[in-house]
Each structure stands twice: as C-alpha cells, then as structure tokens.
Amino acid sequence: MVKICCIGAGYVGGPTMAVIALKCPEIQVAVVDISVPRISAWNSDTLPIYEPGLDEVVKKCRGKNLFFSSDVEKHVSEADIVFVSVNTPTKTQGLGAGKAADLTYWESAARMIADVSKSNKIVVEKSTVPVKTAEAIEKILTHNSKGINFQILSNPEFLAEGTAIQDLFEPDRVLIGGRETPEGQKAIKALRDVYAHWVPMDRIICTNLWSAELSKLAANAFLAQRISSVNAMSALCEATGADVSQVSHAVGKDTRIGPKFLNASVGFGGSCFQKDILNLVYICECNGLPEVANYWKQVIKVNDYRKARFVNRIVSSMFNTVSGKKIAILGFAFKKDTGDTRETPAIDVCKGLLGDKAMLSIYDPQVSEEQIQRDLSMNKFDWDHPVHLQPTSPSSMKQVSVVWDAYAATKDAHGICILTEWDEFKTLDYQKIYDNMQKPAFVFDGRNIVDVAKLREIGFIVYSIGKPLDEWLKDMPAVA
Ligand code: UDX
Ligand code: ADP
C-alpha cells in the first residue's frame, strides 16, 4: 500500500489530501501538523477551515484512509511520498525583507524529513515557493541523507479558496515538475499515477523543476494583473461616466482575452497574489532584471491604490470626516465562501477608516471577532506564521465592534461598506436597514453586488466601483 504524508494541515494540505484520499481508496493518507489545536479541529465535527463541500469529503474518508495527526515524525518516516505544505511568509527582516520568502518552516521540515527517514522518499513541494527552492531543499536532503535517496518534485497547487473541492475534483491542469534524470522521471510517474485516479492524462503536465515552480508564480501574477488592470480602468470609468461592468463585458467577449477575473473590486486579497508577486519581483531583481521587477511591482501598487482610493471616497463623501461616525463593514473575508482573511482588502480599508477615527461595526458570516481583532492589530506580513507562533490575544480595539448580523452592524450607522461579495448581502432588507440608519445614509459597494437603482429609490447615496457617480458624490472633493 502506498503511503502519503502531508506536512502542514492548512488551506492547501487539508483539502488536497482529503480529495486524494477520496479518489484513491487504496492509498493511505496522513496529514500532520505541529499545531495540536489545528489537528484536533481536523479530527472534530468543526473543521478548522470553512470550504464548501469539504466536510462531506472528510467525513467519507477520515478514519479509513485519511488520518490527521500531530505525530509528525512517525508519519513522515513511514511515507513513500511526502508533500510539504507549510507556511512561507514574506521576510520582515534581513536580506530581501518585504519581498523574499522566509523559508524557515520549509527548511526545518526538510531537515526533519532527512532526520527521520529510513527509506527512499519522494518529497513534493506543494506550498508556493520561489523558483529554485527545490534545489536548496534537495541539497539539505542529500547532505543529510545517510544513503537514502530523495527525489524532489514541484507540484504547485492551483485551487482557489471557496471553490477548492470543485477545483480539486476537476482541475484545469495538474503540474508536476521533476529532475530530467531516470530517477526524477520515475518519481514524476509515481505522482502522476496518484492524480491519474481521477484527472485525465492530457491535463497532467510534466515539466522540469524550475518551469513548475515558475509557472505557479507566473499564473498568480497574470491573474492578479487582470484584476489590477480592470481596477485601474474602473477609476477612469468613474471619471468619464463609463460603466466598468459594461467595459469588462465588452472586453471579455474577445475570445483572446476571455471573461473571467475581470470584476472590478476594492482590491484583491488572499494568501497568494501579493506574496507570489513580491517573490517574483525579488527573483527578477536578484537576476539583474529591474525593468521586469518594476513591471510586476506595479500590479501591487495599483492594488494598494485601489484600497486607498476606496477609503478616500468614503471620507470625502461624508463631508470629509468620519470621525466618531459609525460605519458598518459588511464582509471581512478576502472573498466569499471562505473564512480566510489573509491579506484581505478589508484590513487596509478598516485601518484607513480607523485612521480617520471612525467607529466600525463589522459583520462577516464566517470570520470570528478574535480573528478580526488580530488582523487589525497585526503588522504587515506577520500573518503567515503557524498560529501558535503569532502574537497571542491582541488587545481589542475600542473603536471596533464585531457583531453577528448585518442588521445589528448597520443600526444607527452613517454608512455601509460592502467589502466581501457574500450572497446574503444581495438579499438584505435594505428598506429596513435604511430606516434604522442616520441620514443621509451611504452605501459604498466595494464588490458591485447591490441593486443600485433600488437602493437609490429607497433613499441611499450609493457608490459603486467604476460606475457613473451619484449626483451627491460628484459635488464632493475630488478623489485622487
Ligand atoms: C488564487 C488563485 O486563483 C489560485 O489558482 C491559487 O492557487 C491561489 O491564489 P485564491 O487566493 O484562493 O486563489 O482566490 P481568487 O479566487 O484567485 O481571488 C483572489 C482575490 O482576487 C480575491 O480577493 C478576490 O475577491 C479578488 N478578485 C478575483 C477580484 O477582485 N476580481 C476578480 O475578477 C476575481
Ligand atoms: P496554506 O494556505 O499554504 O495551506 P496554512 O498557513 O493554512 O498555509 O498552513 C500551513 C500549516 O503548516 C500550518 O497549519 C502550520 O502549523 C504548519 N506547519 C508549519 N511548519 C511546520 C512543520 N515544520 N511541521 C509541521 N507543520 C508545520
């Protein structure tokens, strides 16, 4: 029986291994993590992450061929294939601070694998890492190998949160990179055989190690670049009276461009886009390619501009001050159908409003108060460490209250900001909300999900991204 072990029971490791276990009943899959509470949650009825369809998959396999354990060394030593899916934070100190990936957790995982291994193993890079990490890991493994053969593969994950199970069931492609030696090719085949249980062969792409590593960074950079492009257009739409949804539709109809990932928004978030682009920028700089580095840096700059512009729009619309005003924040997760808040645009928007002394009342159906308080008090880049190594119980901010209902959040508020496109925000009773708010009542829709005409009829002053401006907003101070 083939044994697989995955180090890191996070957003990637957990769902990916659950689907492998479901699709390959004859393979034994163990997911291990240094965080004991995280493993306990995977073994309980309340999984540590919210992902549609995940509960069902886990329930079908857990205890049969899927196991969650904190006995990291035992499961690694027994495995034939070891996936590594640990945190790769952005460095905050030293060489490459603010850009380069901190490979501390990766390195300690690699040293542990070398230490405990008694048989040959295939080690698979699952978490996104900078190009040429495999080479470094290979060195750590072989220099500590005691005669054991390690083959390293890069098998980057392309799942998106909120649709992870669907993405894993029917991936556009599975990418496997390995050494071009006979042993390397044999390892590629072993991993390909796992995916071949449910993925058609023509969707399994095999490449060399560096192409696989770079393709992941490139794919995320291209996706993020589309969002920054459409967000840049949205500012021009507001200035000219064009409607960004109409522009996106018209542009996306060109089959060479395609319709996906052209929704203007308050900005992209998530654990990957910014981090991967920063990595790409750093690699370009290290390779003497400053023009290429600057090109990709601009994608992040436009994203930061998008968030800052949204805050400016709110403040300028509300008579140039939000000091002491209650602002309801609807949605805190970085997108709908996840409770994940890593790099969510809500953090920067909330911090911007708090900087202008607003009182925030926040509601998100999947994000806890503790998480929100933690996010708002954490330093940039500090989020991507195992939970037990993050600063504990931050002092809660008095200006921020977290409530469990959109109606409570909006009661007596001066304005509403929609920051996540949760479906439930489309069908709220906006008349009831309006009646319970201060007047004039504002809605700032950072996701373009509300029915603007209907809300204006009720009496709201509405701002939607990249849409012709409300008469009220036109008279307010210009937004840079
Ligand atoms: C992304 C990639 O899609 C995935 O392939 C990779 O493996 C990991 O990174 P994820 O971060 O989970 O996945 O979410 P994604 O759906 O890509 O959304 C990222 C951000 O972009 C979200 O904040 C989302 O709201 C925003 N977005 C997306 C837009 O603002 N507009 C769009 O049109 C699409
Ligand atoms: P991702 O979104 O890439 O899955 P997460 O942060 O959700 O990232 O998950 C990474 C997991 O890896 C965390 O649960 C963390 O506790 C775990 N981890 C980090 N370092 C190690 C290690 N050396 N051994 C085992 N688990 C680790």
Side-chain angles (χ1 to χ4, degrees), residues 192-269:
R192 201 182 58 189
D193 289 347
V194 173
Y195 286 107
H197 280 75
W198 78 98
V199 182
M201 275 309 211
D202 62 349
R203 292 198 184 190
I204 305 180
I205 304 171
C206 300
T207 66
N208 75 26
L209 269 177
W210 329 136
S211 299
E213 286 180 325
L214 182 58
S215 299
K216 175 63 195 271
L217 294 185
N220 275 345
F222 275 58
L223 289 170
Q225 178 233 43
R226 281 175 76 94
I227 303 170
S228 277
S229 298
V230 78
N231 279 342
M233 284 298 162
S234 74
L236 190 55
C237 287
E238 287 168 22
T240 56
D243 179 328
V244 76
S245 302
Q246 293 175 353
V247 174
S248 287
H249 180 70
V251 171
K253 274 289 178 194
D254 186 324
T255 51
R256 293 167 304 175
I257 298 172
K260 293 180 184 165
F261 262 66
L262 285 177
N263 289 326
S265 67
V266 59
F268 60 74

Side-chain angles (χ1 to χ4, degrees), residues 7-13 32-35 38 72 85-87 105 108-109 271 342 384 386:
I7 307 177
Y11 285 90
V12 171
V32 297
D33 202 294
I34 38 173
S35 163
R38 199 153 209 187
V72 179
S85 184
V86 301
N87 319 59
Y105 303 110
S108 91
S271 65
R342 294 178 292 178
D384 199 5

Side-chain angles (χ1 to χ4, degrees), residues 103-145:
L103 293 172
T104 311
Y105 303 110
W106 239 108
E107 186 174 336
S108 91
R111 289 183 189 280
M112 185 269 298
I113 296 171
D115 261 6
V116 305
S117 293
K118 295 185 196 73
S119 55
N120 294 348
K121 295 201 190 317
I122 297 172
V123 177
V124 186
E125 272 182 331
K126 199 67 185 159
S127 35
T128 307
V129 287
V131 184
K132 297 238 161 182
T133 301
E135 197 167 56
I137 302 303
E138 202 171 48
K139 282 187 184 132
I140 294 176
L141 289 170
T142 46
H143 282 278
N144 295 283
S145 71

Side-chain angles (χ1 to χ4, degrees), residues 25 31 39 94 99 108 111 140 155 182 184 207 221 257 278 290 301 348 370 374 428:
V31 189
I39 288 297
K99 281 180 286 205
S108 91
R111 289 183 189 280
I140 294 176
N155 172 220
T207 66
I257 298 172
L278 286 173
K301 281 193 186 164
D348 285 347
E370 195 209 343
R374 191 202 299 263
L428 292 170

